[in-house]
Amino acid sequence: RGSLAIVATHHAFPGDADPFFAEIQGTYNEIGEGLDEEWPPPPPERVPDERAEIEGSGFFSDVHVRRYVWSETYSEEEYIDLLNTYSGHRRMDADKREFLYQSIRSHLHARTQPRVRKHYLNILHVARRR
């Protein structure tokens, strides 16, 4: 007997999401690194969870799912440092990455306060082993 716990983390776009992400999407598209899925992404409550897959495995029962939305505010350089930890940005051609980061800096410098607020969605799945 035992339990399974999975935490999935997503970039979240609630109703009060920072418009920066819609603004910068054009730069991602321009360098060929845009999203393949819909824009804007669905709100946190519509992001799919893994309940059906966990239940469908036949190994677990009593599946519970909880969603937690939270945000973090980053300065320009803190945000770029964060992007440098993401594998997609690390794999990006250096010229594309520098073009993107310069665009990010330009967008943030145009603001009264050059900060970006990023929302995160954590989806917690807990299930009991059969």
Side-chain angles (χ1 to χ4, degrees):
R1 300 199 50 88
S3 297
L4 170 73
I6 301 171
V7 177
T9 302
H10 305 272
H11 186 171
F13 294 88
D16 65 340
D18 192 326
F20 165 80
F21 296 102
E23 296 164 2
I24 202 66
Q25 192 58 44
T27 302
Y28 279 95
N29 294 341
E30 186 177 341
I31 63 172
E33 298 289 341
L35 297 173
D36 291 333
E37 59 256 10
E38 69 178 282
W39 184 265
E45 61 274 8
R46 287 194 24 237
V47 172
D49 60 49
E50 306 303 321
R51 177 188 297 270
E53 186 174 347
I54 294 168
E55 290 174 338
S57 75
F59 296 112
F60 302 96
S61 64
D62 198 23
V63 179
H64 296 274
V65 177
R66 300 282 188 273
R67 292 166 185 267
Y68 302 92
V69 178
W70 55 282
S71 67
E72 189 72 36
T73 301
Y74 300 96
S75 70
E76 168 189 314
E77 290 308 315
E78 288 170 336
Y79 184 64
I80 288 173
D81 286 346
L82 174 68
L83 293 179
N84 281 324
T85 69
Y86 294 165
S87 58
H89 289 78
R90 293 173 62 94
R91 283 191 318 263
M92 198 180 289
D93 176 73
D95 291 339
K96 286 183 178 182
R97 189 173 46 248
E98 188 50 43
F99 182 81
L100 171 65
Y101 291 174
Q102 191 54 46
S103 181
I104 288 170
R105 288 181 181 100
S106 295
H107 276 84
L108 293 179
H109 278 272
R111 294 178 158 200
T112 306
Q113 292 188 350
R115 302 182 69 72
V116 61
R117 183 173 46 110
K118 182 176 180 182
H119 283 87
Y120 295 88
L121 167 64
N122 295 120
I123 303 177
L124 171 64
H125 308 77
V126 179
R128 190 175 315 273
R129 185 174 174 201
R130 291 187 186 270

